[in-house]
Amino acid sequence: MRRFSALLAVFSGLFLFANITVAAPGCPAQADLEYLGANPAEGFSEECRQLDSFTIRSGAGEINIEVYGFSRTTARKLEQTKQALTRAGAALADFAGYSSVPVKVYMSPRLHSGVSGPEGDDQGVTTLSLADASGGQDCVIALFRQANGPEYAQVVAHEFFHCVELTRFDNKMRSGPSAWWSESIAEWFAGYAYPGTGFSDGFVQEFDVKSIDTPLTGMTYPNIVFLWWLEQDQGADAIFALMEAMPDDRDESADEELQKNALEAFLGAGAFLRFTENYLDGNLVQTGGRPVPSTPRIEDIYNITEASEMTLAAPRFVPYRATLLFDCGEWDLRQTLRSGVYGAARDANGAWGQLPDTVSSDGSGQFEYLFAGGATAAEGLSLELKAGKDFCAPCATPDYSSGPEACLVGDWTLVSGGLGEVQSGLINNLEGAQNADIPDMQGHLVLNRDGTFTVGPSTRGHIETNNSSGTTSTDFVLRFTRSGTWSVNRNRLERCYDITGEGEIAYTTVSPSGERSRGRSDMLPRGLPEFTETKRYTCEGNRLEIEYMRVLFRKINMIYEK
């Protein structure tokens, strides 16, 4: 059957139906016409009569065609119908073994009885009669309110192919779920008989929208996009192989999951991914070479500006797509593919492949991946992604004159807290030690506007020890500075330390007898390696508090003032 949307109803009220029925002389049986909504008896005095008969070719001998109607049917319309069926038969001859039972074409003078609205309205509905048949059979096609639109011939070819489907695949088509392939393949065949017309473009637009979250088995006419790819990828014979692969049992054909299982056995996950990639690349062509005018719609857009987790998921046979936008910098990606297959291109013109373990953006803009994925197995597609940003690799020199970072810019001196204060307290609790004042390694902190920093001790140190000879006092100075880059991530101060050169300790010791000695010692003979540090902070005016660490269940904060 052929159903029109508002975009495709380019001519007034032409709709077609097909039905297998017992062959009989004269006009098609009234019961069949009533089933199709095409019964002319009520309020119509003229009797139906045969208007023409002829034969057409097929892939297995000739097919007898009989055309029925009324005196109002014009010779021009009869000739258009004959030409359309003859061309459809010639197209079918390309596929050996495929034919149809005799076809009766009924040229109805009315709209379909299911049409709402006044007589002459161009709206309508279509259906495919599924009445059982026995004995000799023929296929009835009813044309409603025939018109002179340019799509007429292609629509006739569409309905003719339903006769071919019913002849060979009657059991396969006895359910609603089979419409995903029976309707789309009839539409494909019409385009095969009349290539390059563009009359199916409206279904392409529908596919662009529906396929976001609807599997192939949940659509009908829009699946012509998939069939064009299948023809392009494997040849036109693959379309007929697809029909042959569908469930043949009437009960099984009514089960959508069994339809999906049959499609999985026919296609495979790799081929389905290839279809999705080709569709997103925009390189599909129709029969005859005309480009498919698709504009895939993408709703899942992940704007990755900070460490985040996401799951890319879709049911089986959904051509899933997404856009991953990475902010400038370097990112670490951890991937766990639970089910399905996928490919990701750098951009729409890039090569498809797996996502890398690291992504780098140089600051010229966001780094974009077009993601394609899918699954044919029942589990569907599921890819878990964890993106972590290397804050030590900024994409460009920052300017922290404004924003949340501006408060932190300045020259800070530790006034309370810190590890040195804790160490002093611990030493003073030792036997023989007193008046310990250990300088903090981060007592002096400078956070620059350009994202660089320096940090080092800000005060002299002092310690006294007692023994039987008396008190020994030591004053010392730590000379070293660490540097690196800093940034802010929400309420966290992130610092990346560069490799540090050697440092030293200069000390003066006074013995119990008053003897004074001085010395120096390498503090960091081999330097300190690069490392990163992330700490919670609060900043307000000239006060900065950093949560440094926890020692023995004690939280150590560092309070600075400018």
Side-chain angles (χ1 to χ4, degrees):
M1 57 184 168
R2 183 67 154 81
R3 179 178 63 83
F4 295 92
S5 66
L7 293 173
L8 294 177
V10 296
F11 59 93
S12 176
L14 175 63
F15 298 94
L16 300 101
F17 300 79
N19 176 37
I20 292 291
T21 183
V22 178
C27 199
Q30 182 172 328
D32 292 311
L33 297 181
E34 289 178 347
Y35 183 84
L36 296 172
N39 182 20
E42 184 178 352
F44 198 79
S45 58
E46 183 180 351
E47 290 190 4
C48 169
R49 58 192 176 90
Q50 183 174 317
L51 303 176
D52 198 0
S53 65
F54 51 91
T55 60
I56 62 174
R57 299 168 58 199
S58 77
E62 294 185 334
I63 301 173
N64 293 322
I65 307 291
E66 296 177 356
V67 182
Y68 296 87
F70 304 87
S71 59
R72 66 179 64 187
T73 305
T74 66
R76 179 174 177 273
K77 182 56 61 180
L78 281 174
E79 183 59 26
Q80 288 178 331
T81 305
K82 182 176 182 178
Q83 290 178 0
L85 289 167
T86 300
R87 184 160 175 170
L92 185 61
D94 292 343
F95 305 98
Y98 291 90
S99 186
S100 170
V101 296
V103 177
K104 289 186 176 182
V105 180
Y106 174 68
M107 314 289 283
S108 173
R110 299 186 182 279
L111 289 173
H112 178 240
S113 61
V115 172
S116 61
E119 184 76 11
D121 190 0
D122 64 357
Q123 299 180 32
V125 294
T126 62
T127 187
L128 186 64
S129 174
L130 303 178
D132 290 335
S134 61
Q137 292 181 303
D138 51 32
C139 182
V140 176
I141 297 176
L143 309 182
F144 293 93
R145 291 295 301 272
Q146 58 266 35
N148 297 317
E151 195 178 3
Y152 178 75
Q154 187 168 334
V155 175
V156 172
H158 175 113
E159 291 305 321
F160 164 75
F161 195 75
H162 279 318
C163 291
V164 178
E165 292 175 322
L166 281 169
T167 298
R168 190 174 181 104
F169 305 118
D170 188 28
N171 281 347
K172 295 176 183 285
M173 297 175 63
R174 293 294 178 173
S175 68
S178 66
W180 78 266
W181 59 266
S182 62
E183 289 298 343
S184 58
I185 291 179
E187 187 69 13
W188 169 85
F189 178 81
Y192 183 87
Y194 289 90
T197 61
F199 290 135
S200 300
D201 287 357
F203 297 134
V204 176
Q205 298 169 21
E206 193 174 346
F207 185 90
D208 289 340
V209 176
K210 285 188 174 180
S211 63
I212 292 173
D213 54 12
T214 304
L216 297 181
T217 53
M219 296 181 282
T220 54
Y221 304 97
N223 283 330
I224 191 172
V225 174
F226 167 71
L227 296 175
W228 280 326
W229 168 82
L230 186 60
E231 178 188 11
Q232 182 179 342
D233 188 73
Q234 302 179 25
D237 286 336
I239 309 298
F240 289 79
L242 172 62
M243 291 189 291
E244 297 285 357
M246 291 299 102
D248 198 39
D249 181 85
R250 293 192 181 200
D251 293 332
E252 289 185 358
S253 68
D255 189 319
E256 184 175 349
E257 287 305 308
L258 292 178
Q259 293 275 329
K260 292 177 180 177
N261 292 345
L263 179 57
E264 177 187 13
F266 169 79
L267 190 64
F272 183 66
L273 175 62
R274 192 163 67 249
F275 158 65
T276 304
E277 293 173 342
N278 292 164
Y279 166 63
L280 294 179
D281 280 340
N283 60 7
L284 302 185
V285 296
Q286 304 176 17
T287 305
R290 181 176 181 268
V292 175
S294 63
T295 305
R297 184 172 173 180
I298 301 176
E299 288 194 346
D300 286 355
I301 299 176
Y302 295 92
N303 197 359
I304 303 170
T305 60
E306 60 185 23
S308 54
E309 299 181 9
M310 65 214 75
T311 299
L312 310 184
R316 65 195 302 202
F317 291 112
V318 170
Y320 180 75
R321 56 269 196 184
T323 298
L324 305 178
L325 296 171
F326 291 89
D327 208 357
C328 59
E330 291 191 8
W331 297 85
D332 173 68
L333 287 183
R334 296 184 181 181
Q335 310 170 48
T336 304
L337 183 62
R338 299 296 184 187
S339 58
V341 291
Y342 82 92
R346 166 64 178 86
D347 52 43
N349 298 316
W352 293 96
Q354 300 290 291
L355 284 167
D357 293 331
T358 58
V359 176
S360 298
S361 178
D362 58 7
S364 59
Q366 288 184 306
F367 197 93
E368 177 178 337
Y369 277 97
L370 177 62
F371 180 92
T376 57
E379 296 79 7
L381 169 70
S382 179
L383 173 66
E384 297 174 1
L385 287 180
K386 294 182 179 181
K389 188 174 184 179
D390 181 0
F391 54 82
C392 295
C395 57
T397 301
D399 181 3
Y400 293 150
S401 300
S402 59
E405 299 87 356
C407 179
L408 283 83
V409 173
D411 191 319
W412 300 91
T413 299
L414 184 68
V415 296
S416 177
L419 191 57
E421 184 178 283
V422 174
Q423 292 172 327
S424 298
L426 293 175
I427 292 174
N428 286 329
N429 287 329
L430 297 176
E431 183 178 355
Q434 63 185 19
N435 298 325
D437 184 10
I438 307 299
D440 198 287
M441 297 295 189
Q442 298 197 31
H444 183 211
L445 173 64
V446 179
L447 298 172
N448 299 309
R449 186 174 285 108
D450 64 358
T452 61
F453 77 90
T454 58
V455 65
S458 60
T459 61
R460 293 175 178 269
H462 178 81
I463 187 171
E464 296 177 3
T465 58
N466 296 315
N467 55 32
S468 59
S469 301
T471 301
T472 300
S473 65
T474 302
D475 293 301
F476 57 93
V477 177
L478 306 180
R479 295 193 179 102
F480 83 98
T481 300
R482 300 218 64 176
S483 61
T485 59
W486 68 279
S487 61
V488 166
N489 182 7
R490 296 184 179 178
N491 64 338
R492 296 179 182 272
L493 173 63
E494 297 177 332
R495 283 177 285 184
C496 304
Y497 288 81
D498 298 331
I499 296 176
T500 301
E502 295 181 359
E504 67 173 12
I505 301 176
Y507 59 88
T508 300
T509 300
V510 180
S511 69
S513 62
E515 182 180 352
R516 186 180 299 271
S517 62
R518 292 183 174 87
R520 297 177 184 274
S521 174
D522 290 337
M523 179 179 176
L524 303 168
R526 286 183 272 177
L528 289 177
E530 294 177 306
F531 75 99
T532 60
E533 184 179 65
T534 300
K535 304 295 182 184
R536 295 179 182 272
Y537 81 93
T538 57
C539 183
E540 184 176 351
N542 292 327
R543 186 178 186 276
L544 172 63
E545 183 172 351
I546 299 175
E547 183 180 307
Y548 187 68
M549 65 171 62
R550 291 179 179 271
V551 176
L552 300 177
F553 306 103
R554 177 184 174 186
K555 184 170 67 173
I556 301 176
N557 286 352
M558 307 178 74
I559 299 175
Y560 293 87
E561 291 182 355
K562 287 185 182 180

